[in-house]
Amino acid sequence: MKQKPKQPRIRCPYCGREAVLRRASYVHKEKALEEYLYVCSGYPQCDSYVGVHTGTKTPRGSLADRNLRRKRTQAHRLFDAIWKNGILSRKDAYRWMQDTFCLSSEQAHIGQFSDYRCDCLMTECRKVLKNNHIKIAC
Ligand SMILES: [Zn+2]
């Protein structure tokens, strides 16, 4: 009889290999902030991984390489500036993101965003910040 897998099967979008759940220290050494990461089984040749939601083994989004990880962080910083500066509430900021990109609430997570969508989000966030006279260095 087949057993139901406890962890979701995740494939690396870059090389097609399966991702494995590992302690964050496997990648980050002593700087580990998150408990677990889904890491491409080709790591470190394939530098691709994603964190989990705090206290769970649920991935935050899709696996990302260095470039996309950096871009998602940057996009998040710009997006967060919208609600941190009180232009919108956090809830309304996510709703604005959904409306702007025609996303469902499940899709409206920067952790799921592609390189291209990060670029689009950053452009839209910069417009909102600029129209509200808020300067942010990125
Ligand atoms: Zn890979």
Side-chain angles (χ1 to χ4, degrees):
M1 234 177 72
K2 259 189 153 178
Q3 288 245 312
K4 225 180 158 190
K6 285 193 192 88
Q7 290 161 13
R9 283 168 73 94
I10 300 167
R11 287 208 176 273
C12 171
Y14 303 98
C15 71
R17 279 178 280 208
E18 206 162 321
V20 275
L21 187 67
R22 294 191 184 278
R23 289 220 162 258
S25 55
Y26 175 76
V27 170
H28 297 309
K29 306 287 181 297
E30 73 283 359
K31 287 193 298 178
L33 296 172
E34 290 154 305
E35 263 191 287
Y36 290 100
L37 296 170
Y38 282 89
V39 185
C40 173
S41 50
Y43 184 88
Q45 287 78 30
C46 181
D47 173 27
S48 152
Y49 56 85
V50 67
V52 298
H53 290 287
T54 315
T56 71
K57 287 178 181 170
T58 310
R60 274 175 197 279
S62 58
L63 267 73
D65 65 6
R66 182 177 301 269
N67 198 35
L68 183 53
R69 290 195 301 269
R70 194 185 302 137
K71 212 163 228 191
R72 283 177 178 170
T73 305
Q74 196 186 354
H76 231 304
R77 201 177 304 143
L78 278 168
F79 175 74
D80 290 348
I82 291 175
W83 57 268
K84 281 182 179 166
N85 284 287
I87 299 170
L88 294 171
S89 68
R90 189 168 182 271
K91 195 177 160 196
D92 284 343
Y94 274 95
R95 198 157 290 162
W96 165 78
M97 187 209 282
Q98 278 178 249
D99 292 345
T100 305
F101 299 104
C102 299
L103 304 172
S104 67
S105 54
E106 291 77 39
Q107 292 170 319
H109 295 286
I110 293 165
Q112 310 276 11
F113 278 22
S114 64
D115 199 88
Y116 172 70
R117 194 163 271 165
C118 283
D119 280 337
C120 297
L121 177 63
M122 288 194 281
T123 303
E124 293 306 316
C125 287
R126 283 195 184 102
K127 273 189 222 163
V128 170
L129 292 166
K130 191 169 175 251
N131 289 339
N132 285 276
H133 312 288
I134 288 164
K135 283 192 178 121
I136 174 164
C138 70

